[in-house]
Amino acid sequence: MIRVLKGNLISAPRLGELHVAEGGCLVLEDGVIRGVFHKLPEQYAAAPVTDYGDRLILQSFADMHLHAPQYPMLGMGMDQPLLAWLNSYAFPTEARFSDPHYARIIYRRLAEELIANGTTRVCMFSSLHTEATWVLMEELENAGVTGYVGKVNMDRNGAPGLLQETTEESVRETIRWLEGCRFDHVKPILTPRFTPSCTDELMEKLGAIAAERGLYVQSHLSENRDEIAWVRRLHPDCSQYWETYDKYGLWKDHTVMAHCVHSDERERDAMRRAGVVAVHCPDSNVNICSGICPVRQMLREGVWVTLGSDIAGGDQLPMYRVIASAIRASKARNIMDNGRTEPLTVEEAYYLGTTSGHRFFGAREGFASGDRLHAIVVDDSDFPDSGYRLSLTQRFERALYLMDSCSIAAVWSDGRCVVEKL
Ligand code: GUN
Ligand code: FE
């Protein structure tokens, strides 16, 4: 079935570029984009139209790194750096997801909050619990969130008796979990928590599972200086952190690495060469005092950079807030670098929070023909009156900074309208 969406369409086809169709039309056939037009071509004249009026039709967001079982501690416990924070807050919070009923309540709310805020694609960590991970996948699926979820693997340096597996359990449960994943829009991704959480034996087994089953991998990299020093002690044979993943076949095309705050030129070059995806998580990096990521440098070097909320190290689930934070963090970096690195522009940060992430899932750039539609409709009519007529790009900038879930009037995910408040 063909239908037409009308409104002010703004997408990011390339880093730093916007495609704007003021009062434009997006033609959809069975959820697949057939084109974006300034004026509707004759051939579609008879198709039904959804007219979003003067509202903005933007790309939806891709959150490329977040911890679902840390949602209950959102906005709390950020008085410690990473390694102490994991032991004091994150591990005890995640341990509660041994109860699938508790998981159901929390994950339903998380999925609803994600979709209400226009996040339609995720690359997400669950906890180590198999049942709760299925519950998470099912709740995302039901809410209209698509993407990848990983049962976490951790067989050392966790919380023994509370949140830690044996190597044998970790492998067995991973296979059981993979065999039980039957969701249309939410797929499994292998998730060794980070090098300090996984023995060499477990990493080796996960590398073999990834190869046998053709699975993607996600983890953490070079987030915090103490973490990096710890990894060096654990793997004296590796001169850099990334090599501890590479050694076991986990460093490959589409491997997702959160943070990379302290990755140097050589580590970044290894990312670029392998096709590894870096996830910049600006709120988390400041909250738990990890550092300010050199995003401009990464982009200049051709590293694939995306954005993540990293809740609950990050305190903001909505990706429009993370986009604004990425701009702020890049300005902090600019100040620290005495102006040597350019801050991110609004257009660039929008690209990182949308197209750059969506590409991971096989999408092309912006609202590309042939892609299934992932979009949000933003109503900015209640924003403060600027006193003069704003251009569309000014309204776009203001929307990214000021919108909230109430201003999101509709959400399209994988070609389906999953939120409609008109
Ligand atoms: N490194 C290993 N586990 C975690 C986690 O849960 N959050 C963050 N920010 N970093 C980690
Ligand atoms: Fe994380």
Side-chain angles (χ1 to χ4, degrees), residues 126-144:
S126 176
S127 57
L128 59 74
H129 311 98
T130 301
E131 272 73 19
T133 305
W134 286 326
V135 168
L136 172 59
M137 296 171 91
E138 191 179 347
E139 290 300 328
L140 293 172
E141 178 91 31
N142 290 345

Side-chain angles (χ1 to χ4, degrees), residues 284-361:
S284 169
N285 293 164
V286 172
N287 283 337
I288 52 176
C289 291
S290 302
I292 305 287
C293 189
V295 173
R296 173 63 65 196
Q297 200 59 34
M298 287 176 155
L299 290 171
R300 266 196 210 137
E301 292 165 2
V303 174
W304 183 355
V305 180
T306 62
L307 298 182
S309 65
D310 192 29
I311 68 156
D315 56 310
Q316 301 286 349
L317 187 67
M319 287 303 290
Y320 45 85
R321 299 258 160 79
V322 175
I323 286 172
S325 292
I327 299 170
R328 274 186 214 104
S330 72
K331 289 175 181 170
R333 189 78 205 195
N334 166 275
I335 295 163
M336 284 163 53
D337 292 346
N338 293 318
R340 269 179 289 119
T341 52
E342 291 292 309
L344 293 176
T345 64
V346 172
E347 292 80 2
E348 286 174 325
Y350 176 59
Y351 174 89
L352 299 183
T354 58
T355 297
S356 193
H358 290 309
R359 280 184 52 225
F360 179 80
F361 306 89

